[in-house]
Amino acid sequence: MFLDPSHAVFLRWDFDYEAEIITFELQVQTTGWIGLGITDRYTFAGSDLVVGGVLPNGNVYFSDQHLLDEDTLEQDGSQDAELLKLTEDSVSTTMRFSRPFRSCDPHDHDITSDTMRVLAAYGLDDIPKMSREHTFVKSIFLLQILQYDDQDAPEDTIIHDLKISDFLIPEDDTTYACTFLPLPIVSKKHHIYKFEPILVERNETMVHHVLVYACGNSSVLPTGISECYGSDPAFSLCSHVIAGWAVGGLSYQFPDDVGISIGTPFDPQWIRLEIHYSNFQNLPGIRDTSGMRLYYTSHLRKYDMGILQLGISVFPIHFIPPGAEAFLSYGLCKTDKFEEMNGAPVANINVSACLLHTHLAGRALQALQYRNGTQLQVICKDFSYDFNLQESRDLPHPVVIKPGDELLIECHYQTLDRDFMTFGGASTINEMCLIFFFYYPRINIASCMGYPDIIYVTNELGEEASENPMENLMVLNNVEWTPENIKKAEKACKESQQTVLIKTIDVRVTVEATLQG
């Protein structure tokens, strides 16, 4: 993928997950030095950078370095990158090297399955010196593992486009545009096995993400195009993601033995198409016809893919104090009611991929699996979450969830830049704590989410609680949010009784109060 807007910096990579070795090939349109490494969220200081180039006499130079501050490069004491290729022609320089996921050098950042902030830099001569003009950072899932065999498309593959129609992009920094569209009308069952974004070339830099949400067949849907989370709450209907793309992403293909079913009475018939536009230059008169392309076939796969939404119920009882260096929120799912809600016996389900979602205060998420009160494993996680990179992530191996297991979603937030309470909600200034499991075989469960006992939390903070949960949110606004009170609130949310809400695809709901354990 390109790492810069002008497409002068191109990166290719591959990895050996067993050997824990990653190989990069960086090509830059320069005859000077080039560099590639990993940085963190807040500063270039401490970034690692592998630097190389070709001198005018044809000799190559190559070294493993790091940034002492925002501008100063220093060579690592341990050289952990291995040069595989370094060439230069009249237009560009190409450098290929490998490095371990983890080295013993404290100046090297670990390569993990979290979001990695890849740093690329270059110069116009052979003196390595940082320049803001020639430095780029891009969030990438470097260790995305693809389960499918990339086999040839089925002969009867049909393509169906879900597009927004000639939409005039507002001159605002951020717009969430939504419309409701029908899925393909088919006379018998088919499987969607792949999706990819439809992007208008001149508008690519303005489209931040494209999401497709399945609607329950009982939903009464609006018409036209409108703000997703604006004054009309109907436009936030349909919340079960079936396809998603974000900046930096490509197409996504399901594993070979699963697909999203369409064409049966149990399947969704309509979707909500959401497109997030980032018009930071406030350009006028730009029209767009972006969307999502679906590939589907009558050659059925072994399993129907389902999407299970987990986390904290999206409403204001989910709160995050202002000025928090770190604040953890928890949402519990208990699967022991799944069979009753499903209306039929529930077998083990297999999770093959996850999609993680918070808003701007989110810093990390993880999904934990418990059985009989014992933690089994972390199903998926990202301790370096980036709101600007939201995509499905394949798991290294499918994770089996048995009836009766408990699933805990944990979200980490930071609100040092806020002097106001942040509450759960659909707007970007609100927050969410959600993880979507892509699993098979599909059952009739759409979501399983929890929320804490706000009355208990209010009392633990030394405030007089009301029996009306929403009134307690006003009480929380009056709390002096010192670091001690922030930690006290986090502890109370973790220890409080959780209410678990389970929704079926056909919009039946059960509510159960339970201790988190």
Side-chain angles (χ1 to χ4, degrees), residues 319 453-466 468-469 471-476 479 481 488-489 492-493 496:
F319 74 91
D453 180 351
I454 197 70
I455 295 174
Y456 173 84
V457 174
T458 305
N459 284 329
E460 287 296 296
L461 286 167
E463 302 289 335
E464 186 175 344
S466 166
N468 182 336
E471 289 182 6
N472 290 309
L473 302 180
M474 302 301 295
V475 174
L476 293 176
V479 172
W481 287 111
K488 190 182 291 184
C493 288
S496 80

Side-chain angles (χ1 to χ4, degrees), residues 117-136:
R117 289 170 176 80
V118 176
L119 171 67
Y122 69 95
L124 303 181
D125 56 31
D126 288 302
I127 302 172
K129 185 178 180 182
M130 299 299 289
S131 157
R132 296 301 169 89
E133 182 184 359
H134 298 142
T135 302
F136 306 95

Side-chain angles (χ1 to χ4, degrees), residues 20-24 38 48 50 80-82 97-103 108-111:
E20 297 193 345
I21 297 289
I22 189 164
T23 301
F24 295 105
I38 308 295
D48 65 39
V50 174
D80 298 292
E82 179 182 352
F97 67 93
S98 64
R99 56 151 287 185
F101 290 178
R102 298 168 186 81
S103 74
D108 289 341
H109 288 246
D110 290 347
I111 305 290

Side-chain angles (χ1 to χ4, degrees), residues 174-190:
T174 300
T175 300
Y176 283 79
C178 275
T179 191
F180 294 86
L181 299 168
L183 282 168
I185 300 173
V186 289
S187 59
K188 63 178 183 178
K189 181 173 178 172
H190 286 62

Side-chain angles (χ1 to χ4, degrees), residues 233-400:
F235 272 87
S236 63
L237 289 170
C238 315
S239 58
H240 312 309
V241 173
I242 61 171
W245 171 89
V247 175
L250 303 170
S251 63
Y252 183 77
Q253 186 168 320
F254 293 114
D256 290 338
D257 54 355
V258 299
I260 293 178
S261 176
I262 55 174
T264 80
F266 191 54
D267 298 327
Q269 299 170 15
W270 285 76
I271 60 93
R272 172 167 65 93
L273 177 68
E274 172 183 303
I275 302 183
H276 175 184
Y277 293 100
S278 298
N279 186 3
F280 291 120
Q281 295 179 310
N282 308 119
L283 301 174
I286 306 295
R287 292 191 173 273
D288 188 61
T289 309
S290 295
M292 194 73 78
R293 175 163 292 162
L294 306 179
Y295 293 78
Y296 64 102
T297 174
S298 63
H299 283 75
L300 299 181
R301 298 176 167 215
K302 185 175 181 181
Y303 300 109
D304 290 343
M305 174 70 77
I307 297 96
L308 177 63
Q309 180 176 319
L310 303 160
I312 302 175
S313 296
V314 184
F315 64 110
I317 282 180
H318 178 206
F319 74 91
I320 301 140
E325 173 73 37
F327 187 83
L328 273 63
S329 296
Y330 304 88
L332 179 67
C333 168
K334 295 186 65 158
T335 68
D336 54 4
K337 294 280 181 144
F338 276 16
E339 185 165 312
E340 176 187 334
M341 294 292 290
N342 189 54
V346 173
N348 296 345
I349 63 173
N350 304 273
V351 180
S352 62
C354 296
L355 188 148
L356 287 64
H357 179 70
T358 74
H359 289 174
L360 299 175
R363 295 295 181 267
L365 303 86
Q366 62 176 343
L368 304 155
Q369 181 184 17
Y370 291 83
R371 185 173 298 156
N372 300 322
T374 300
Q375 182 181 320
L376 293 186
Q377 61 187 317
V378 176
I379 297 176
C380 55
K381 69 172 183 65
D382 191 339
F383 290 161
S384 186
Y385 175 80
D386 187 346
F387 176 76
N388 296 305
L389 182 58
Q390 300 182 46
E391 282 194 291
S392 305
R393 316 172 188 213
D394 286 328
L395 303 181
H397 308 285
V399 171
V400 177

Side-chain angles (χ1 to χ4, degrees), residues 131-148:
S131 157
R132 296 301 169 89
E133 182 184 359
H134 298 142
T135 302
F136 306 95
V137 176
K138 193 175 187 71
S139 291
I140 304 175
F141 302 144
L142 287 176
L143 300 187
Q144 172 68 295
I145 297 173
L146 303 178
Q147 299 294 322
Y148 54 84

Side-chain angles (χ1 to χ4, degrees), residues 24-70:
F24 295 105
E25 183 175 282
L26 180 68
Q27 184 177 73
V28 184
Q29 292 178 17
T30 182
T31 54
W33 71 274
I34 64 176
L36 183 79
I38 308 295
T39 188
D40 69 17
R41 188 184 193 107
Y42 302 105
T43 176
F44 288 161
S47 304
D48 65 39
L49 199 67
V50 174
V51 172
V54 181
L55 295 169
N57 62 9
N59 291 333
V60 303
Y61 55 94
F62 176 82
S63 64
D64 189 357
Q65 305 198 23
H66 62 276
L67 280 161
L68 288 175
D69 52 37
E70 297 279 318

